[in-house]
């Protein structure tokens, strides 16, 4: 029992001296300046400056050049102290930001993604919709949820820019807020969202996949293409307003050899050509 107590005391003492050692190593310049200032104050209060201050004054009068150098060195030390203090504050602020970010991070997962074809449905105003089931397993809100469509193909220069379409809940609640995209709380279960499938031309015109394919598959000199890929990305912002992106799928659209129109709903997701 006595041995255990001694080991514990020794460990505490070792920890204390390690703390002191770390403090001295990290702030030796500050400690030195504080000791010098303390020595001057004690000398003036107890000995009217006879022990240190008066001698220093006399020495500086007879060694003006060296005293000037010493004063410059002290000023430089003061600048170094200020720089180190600012640098420590910067590091502390970065650490606090990292802690806040870690404490408010949505973790988004796409459980399912499918394309619905409404070409023959007169009640719908869109040709195709992307339907997603999304879940948030993090500890914060995900906001401004959207799907970004990007197009890739070989051959001639692309006629299209990426197009971002806001996600809308399939079942909207009365609490639902308006904005540029959907919002998903970490307290909810999996939630269904939908977005219109559309590509955006360089001129700012929104087109369906079929309309885009008609432009891309039309013969243009010797640079005709007969296939292209549509890549979908889920984008959102976390609680710190940082943008996040998740690649969700790649659809390979091939020019039909007979009847039928090229659509995302009959494309091959993530399949080779």
């Amino acid at each position: 029992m006595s041995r255990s107590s001694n080991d514990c005391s020794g460990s505490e003492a070792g920890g204390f001296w390690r703390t002191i050692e770390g403090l001295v190593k990290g702030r030796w310049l500050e400690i030195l300046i504080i000791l010098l200032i303390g020595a001057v104050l004690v000398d003036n209060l107890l000995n009217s400056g006879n022990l240190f201050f008066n001698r220093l004054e006399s020495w500086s009068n007879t060694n003006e050049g060296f005293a000037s150098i010493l004063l410059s060195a002290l000023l430089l030390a003061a600048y170094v102290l200020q720089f180190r203090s600012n640098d420590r504050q910067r590091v502390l602020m970065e650490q606090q930001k990292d802690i806040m970010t870690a404490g408010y991070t949505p973790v988004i997962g796409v459980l399912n993604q499918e394309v619905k074809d409404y070409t023959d449905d007169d009640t719908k105003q869109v040709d195709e919709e992307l339907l997603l089931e999304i879940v948030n397993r993090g500890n914060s809100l995900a906001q401004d949820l959207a799907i970004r469509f990007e197009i890739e193909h070989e051959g001639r220069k692309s006629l299209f820019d990426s197009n971002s379409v806001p996600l809308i809940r399939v079942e909207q609640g009365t609490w639902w807020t308006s904005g540029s995209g959907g919002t998903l709380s970490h307290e909810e279960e999996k939630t269904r969202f939908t977005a219109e499938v559309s590509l955006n031309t360089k001129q700012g015109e929104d087109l369906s996949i079929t309309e885009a394919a008609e432009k891309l598959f039309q013969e243009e000199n010797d640079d005709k293409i007969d296939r292209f890929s549509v890549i979908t990305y889920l984008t959102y912002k976390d609680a710190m307003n940082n943008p996040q992106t998740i690649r969700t799928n790649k659809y390979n659209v091939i020019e039909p050899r007979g009847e039928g129109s090229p659509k995302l709903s009959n494309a091959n997701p993530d399949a080779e050509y």
Side-chain angles (χ1 to χ4, degrees), residues 5 11 20 72 104 108 115 124 137 157 164 169 176 189 191 222 261-262 265:
S5 299
S11 176
I20 296 298
S72 299
Y104 296 95
I108 300 299
V115 183
K124 295 288 185 177
R137 298 302 189 197
K157 184 178 179 181
S164 184
R169 288 184 178 231
W176 185 243
E189 296 297 327
T191 305
D222 296 328
S261 302
S265 54

Side-chain angles (χ1 to χ4, degrees), residues 119-151:
T119 306
D120 299 326
D121 190 343
D122 296 334
T123 63
K124 295 288 185 177
Q125 297 180 351
V126 299
D127 290 341
E128 292 181 298
E129 280 187 344
L130 200 62
L131 185 65
L132 302 98
E133 287 185 341
I134 307 175
V135 66
N136 182 359
R137 298 302 189 197
N139 52 14
S140 180
L141 186 73
Q143 53 192 352
D144 291 342
L145 274 75
I147 283 290
R148 186 174 77 238
F149 296 93
E150 292 189 359
I151 189 167

Side-chain angles (χ1 to χ4, degrees), residues 152-273:
E152 288 183 354
H153 60 77
E154 297 180 353
R156 57 184 150 105
K157 184 178 179 181
S158 178
L159 305 173
F160 298 87
D161 287 326
S162 61
N163 188 27
S164 184
V165 180
L167 284 182
I168 301 174
R169 288 184 178 231
V170 174
E171 298 178 0
Q172 297 190 21
T174 56
W175 58 271
W176 185 243
T177 58
S178 61
S180 59
T183 303
L184 183 61
S185 169
H186 61 289
E187 298 175 348
E188 300 179 78
E189 296 297 327
K190 63 181 180 179
T191 305
R192 301 173 75 209
F193 290 88
T194 183
E196 178 184 357
V197 176
S198 66
L199 297 174
N200 190 264
T201 66
K202 298 288 185 179
Q203 291 74 33
E205 181 185 6
D206 288 336
L207 299 179
S208 68
I209 298 297
T210 301
E211 293 169 331
E214 290 176 355
K215 286 183 173 292
L216 289 170
F217 293 158
Q218 65 183 357
E219 187 171 356
E220 184 174 315
N221 300 326
D222 296 328
D223 205 16
K224 182 180 181 299
I225 64 171
D226 60 358
R227 62 197 64 197
F228 62 91
S229 297
V230 177
I231 305 173
T232 56
Y233 297 87
L234 173 64
T235 64
Y236 62 95
K237 293 181 180 178
D238 59 23
M240 305 298 292
N241 213 35
N242 298 314
Q244 308 292 337
T245 301
I246 302 173
R247 182 186 183 276
T248 60
N249 220 332
K250 178 179 180 181
Y251 299 88
N252 298 316
V253 181
I254 303 175
E255 183 178 18
R257 299 306 180 190
E259 296 182 357
S261 302
K263 300 176 184 179
L264 215 62
S265 54
N266 55 28
N268 296 320
D270 277 332
E272 296 296 332
Y273 288 137

Side-chain angles (χ1 to χ4, degrees), residues 55-88:
R55 293 182 181 182
L56 179 62
E57 185 179 16
S58 176
W59 175 84
S60 64
N61 289 331
T62 57
N63 300 272
E64 293 183 359
F66 190 78
S68 178
I69 295 175
L70 180 61
L71 179 60
S72 299
L74 291 175
L75 289 174
L76 177 61
Y79 286 133
V80 170
L81 283 177
Q82 182 66 30
F83 172 78
R84 291 177 60 179
S85 176
N86 292 339
D87 189 59
R88 280 195 295 268

